[in-house]
Amino acid sequence: MTRNINTLLWLLFSVLALRLGLAAILPLADTTEPRYAEIARIMAETGDWITPWFDYGVPFWGKPPLSFWAQALSFKLLGVSEFSGRLPSWLANAVIVYLIFTLRRRLHPDHTSEAARRSGLWAALIYATTALGFLTAGTVMTDSFLALGSTLVLTSLIIRLQGGTEVWGWLFFLGLAIGLLAKGPLILVLTGLPVFLWVAVTRRWRTLWQCLPWIRGAILMLTIAMPWYILAELKTPGFLDYFIVGEHFNRFLVSGWQGDLYGNAHEFTRGTIWLYLIAAGFPWSLIAIVAFGLNLWRGQPPGHQWQPREKGVGGLILASALSPAIFFTLSGNILWTYVLPGLPFLAVLTSNLWSIWSKGLARPMHPAALATVFLIPVIGTVAGGWLAIHPEQLKTERELVARVNRIPGMAADSLAYLDKTPFSARFYSQGEARTIDANLVIRRLEKGALTEPMALAVAKGDKAMLQRLKGLADPIHENRRYRLFLLEPRPGSTAGGANRESKTGGIDYTVTNDQPLS
């Protein structure tokens, strides 16, 4: 048994280490990762720990600051890089993995036994090797911290119901505070729904009240989370209306919601979230479905390899796994990351079905099980390694910015994009890359008014500008989306450089569809 546990530990640490390595070598690709990384970079640069800034002078009202705090602190300590930006999400994921292990172990009849530890390791390994669990383990995003909060909340409640100490009761409210600072009131819905379903079915209202320090815990939660909400509204009035009403009601209830200041609504067929759940849990979601079907076909009850002390704990775990999908079933504006808070509990359930289907986990690991464990990590590592060698296949401006920095006498502040600067260009240029109007470039070229060299990035689809530049300059670099031209002033040009855009003009919102606070 000890050998089996050592094997599982080795596999789990290997998966986590692989993901950490990928976090260090992959460039940030537009739009999600560099957008959030740039917000955190600006926070670290400006020292403003209250308001996240979408751009210099433009507040970001879309998310609370917990993930930005963690990333900005990482930038402060380790320097600005892909690794330091992704490290906080990896650490949050490591805590989630530990909570899954602890929860599954505490569900075992003898939670101090080797069999309990083995079951816990299997559950943790299953989560770490799901498609979405592996992806988000080292990605600059807010969802990892929401999942950390929701996992801590529901795990604390279940362990408390299993006879855990009072500390778990306090951790329940700490998890709520984490969720409020990571994603907002959504944490109350994602954790409140499974708890409500459990007590509604089992009628264990009194047990729920007695096992948690509701009044003191609520005070703790508000003491941790509420000061930031108040300070954020005072500093940038209008934040609460946009964030509470817009992000928590209109985003999910209004099809094609046009009020999003920082992106575009995602319109999908209602119920798509269930397909996302299967994809997010791949390959274990398919194994769980097959194992459940085989149990029914054989006439065997699903069963549980645990002995809950309270009625319906298995149902609470099931509700925790499915609540995100249930909540977003009628929403068309969704992303597949929305099911992430349910994956830890899906892993716990899958470990139980896997145990029953394989007649226990004590025997040496079967090659098929080993192949399943490594399927997603191997695919992710091979794909990530290939993309690290061929970054031009990604929507990233890292190499283009580096090319500008290598030009003698030029730096990132000489780089200009037409009409809109990609987030990755803003991040890799440390906020120096600027936006310039296409008509202004044309006028300067026609009048010979360019007085200093300019590195101009032109979208490959901008045929008109590419045609105008033909004969004036040859591209010196290109990536998946842009061609880079070095424009130099004509001899004898006398126009001043007063028209050069300032650093605060990172995005010209008068010529794009992105109009925060307009």
Side-chain angles (χ1 to χ4, degrees):
M1 288 187 181
T2 301
R3 180 180 178 184
N4 190 259
I5 288 177
N6 289 338
T7 300
L8 292 172
L9 276 172
W10 180 85
L11 289 173
L12 181 59
F13 289 149
S14 297
V15 169
L16 295 177
L18 282 173
R19 190 61 188 90
L20 186 61
L22 290 175
I25 65 174
L26 285 173
L28 301 181
D30 287 303
T31 54
T32 299
E33 276 204 289
R35 174 175 61 178
Y36 290 142
E38 175 65 1
I39 291 172
R41 190 199 63 79
I42 293 176
M43 178 176 284
E45 177 188 306
T46 62
D48 185 348
W49 299 88
I50 296 176
T51 300
W53 293 94
F54 188 71
D55 193 11
Y56 296 98
V58 181
F60 181 66
W61 287 349
K63 300 290 187 297
L66 182 59
S67 62
F68 305 128
W69 285 344
Q71 291 147 13
L73 180 60
S74 185
F75 288 151
K76 283 283 191 179
L77 296 175
L78 303 176
V80 177
S81 67
E82 297 97 342
F83 177 79
S84 56
R86 289 164 171 155
L87 180 60
S89 290
W90 186 88
L91 293 174
N93 177 77
V95 177
I96 293 173
V97 167
Y98 177 76
L99 289 172
I100 294 170
F101 164 76
T102 303
L103 172 60
R104 184 63 179 90
R105 183 173 61 85
R106 291 301 295 258
L107 288 169
H108 196 274
D110 181 6
H111 66 266
T112 63
S113 66
E114 287 193 2
R117 289 195 292 273
R118 186 171 57 250
S119 297
L121 287 171
W122 261 111
L125 190 59
I126 287 172
Y127 170 79
T129 56
T130 59
L132 187 58
F134 186 78
L135 174 66
T136 58
T139 304
V140 182
M141 61 194 315
T142 60
D143 298 84
S144 298
F145 291 87
L146 172 64
L148 172 60
S150 62
T151 304
L152 181 57
V153 169
L154 295 168
T155 295
S156 298
L157 174 59
I158 296 169
I159 291 179
R160 189 78 177 99
L161 293 172
Q162 288 292 106
T165 63
E166 292 184 1
V167 171
W168 290 102
W170 290 100
L171 291 176
F172 177 93
F173 293 96
L174 177 61
L176 289 176
I178 291 173
L180 287 171
L181 289 173
K183 204 85 167 185
L186 180 62
I187 185 69
L188 303 177
V189 177
L190 294 181
T191 58
L193 180 57
V195 174
F196 172 79
L197 292 175
W198 171 66
V199 293
V201 172
T202 62
R203 305 295 182 181
R204 311 297 282 184
W205 300 96
R206 182 184 296 274
T207 300
L208 179 63
W209 174 259
Q210 292 176 342
C211 74
L212 298 174
W214 286 100
I215 297 177
R216 291 176 296 164
I219 293 174
L220 173 66
M221 175 190 71
L222 295 175
T223 300
I224 295 173
M226 287 306 295
W228 175 80
Y229 281 85
I230 296 171
L231 291 173
E233 175 65 21
L234 290 175
K235 187 168 184 179
T236 55
F239 156 71
L240 288 178
D241 177 69
Y242 175 82
F243 181 64
I244 301 299
V245 178
E247 289 286 342
H248 286 81
F249 290 94
N250 294 339
R251 174 178 290 277
F252 304 115
L253 299 178
V254 180
S255 298
W257 177 48
Q258 299 300 311
D260 193 337
L261 299 180
Y262 312 104
N264 299 314
H266 308 274
E267 181 61 21
F268 295 96
T269 304
R270 270 54 175 177
T272 302
I273 195 70
W274 292 95
L275 297 179
Y276 282 167
L277 179 60
I278 295 174
F282 180 83
W284 298 101
S285 54
L286 297 181
I287 290 174
I289 293 172
V290 171
F292 183 77
L294 286 175
N295 287 337
L296 292 180
W297 180 68
R298 294 170 179 172
Q300 298 175 347
H304 294 291
Q305 299 300 310
W306 58 62
Q307 291 181 355
R309 293 182 52 169
E310 284 293 334
K311 180 180 179 182
V313 167
L316 175 57
I317 297 173
L318 177 62
S320 299
L322 301 182
S323 284
I326 294 173
F327 178 69
F328 291 109
T329 293
L330 298 180
S331 176
N333 187 13
I334 57 174
L335 297 171
W336 80 313
T337 53
Y338 289 179
V339 302
L340 181 62
L343 283 190
F345 305 96
L346 184 64
V348 171
L349 292 172
T350 303
S351 70
N352 179 64
L353 288 169
W354 178 260
S355 176
I356 297 172
W357 189 35
S358 61
K359 296 181 176 62
L361 301 172
R363 62 185 182 180
M365 184 174 292
H366 192 276
L370 188 63
T372 305
V373 165
F374 271 121
L375 178 61
I376 292 298
V378 168
I379 292 175
T381 301
V382 171
W386 187 84
L387 290 173
I389 298 173
H390 302 281
E392 69 278 0
Q393 300 300 317
L394 292 170
K395 295 180 179 180
T396 180
E397 301 305 294
R398 184 181 69 177
E399 306 307 319
L400 188 147
V401 173
R403 178 67 179 88
V404 173
N405 284 325
R406 290 195 298 268
I407 299 175
M410 299 188 73
D413 62 351
S414 302
L415 173 61
Y417 285 79
L418 296 178
D419 299 332
K420 185 175 182 180
T421 304
F423 291 105
S424 60
R426 292 169 54 191
F427 176 80
Y428 284 112
S429 68
Q430 304 283 296
E432 296 290 344
R434 52 201 173 94
T435 298
I436 189 168
D437 183 75
N439 293 324
L440 178 60
V441 175
I442 294 172
R443 288 197 300 270
R444 288 184 179 180
L445 291 175
E446 290 177 344
K447 295 179 180 180
L450 193 67
T451 59
E452 57 185 4
M454 173 191 295
L456 182 66
V458 181
K460 289 183 176 179
D462 190 348
K463 302 299 184 182
M465 179 57 73
L466 291 174
Q467 185 63 33
R468 284 181 176 273
L469 293 174
K470 190 174 182 180
L472 296 177
D474 294 324
I476 62 173
H477 182 83
E478 69 175 75
N479 59 21
R480 178 175 173 177
R481 297 179 293 178
Y482 295 95
R483 287 179 181 160
L484 181 67
F485 294 85
L486 179 58
L487 305 181
E488 299 185 278
R490 298 178 184 176
S493 176
T494 59
N499 287 331
R500 183 165 183 161
E501 284 68 21
S502 68
K503 185 176 181 179
T504 58
I507 295 181
D508 182 355
Y509 290 104
T510 64
V511 293
T512 72
N513 293 325
D514 297 315
Q515 300 178 345
L517 310 185
S518 60

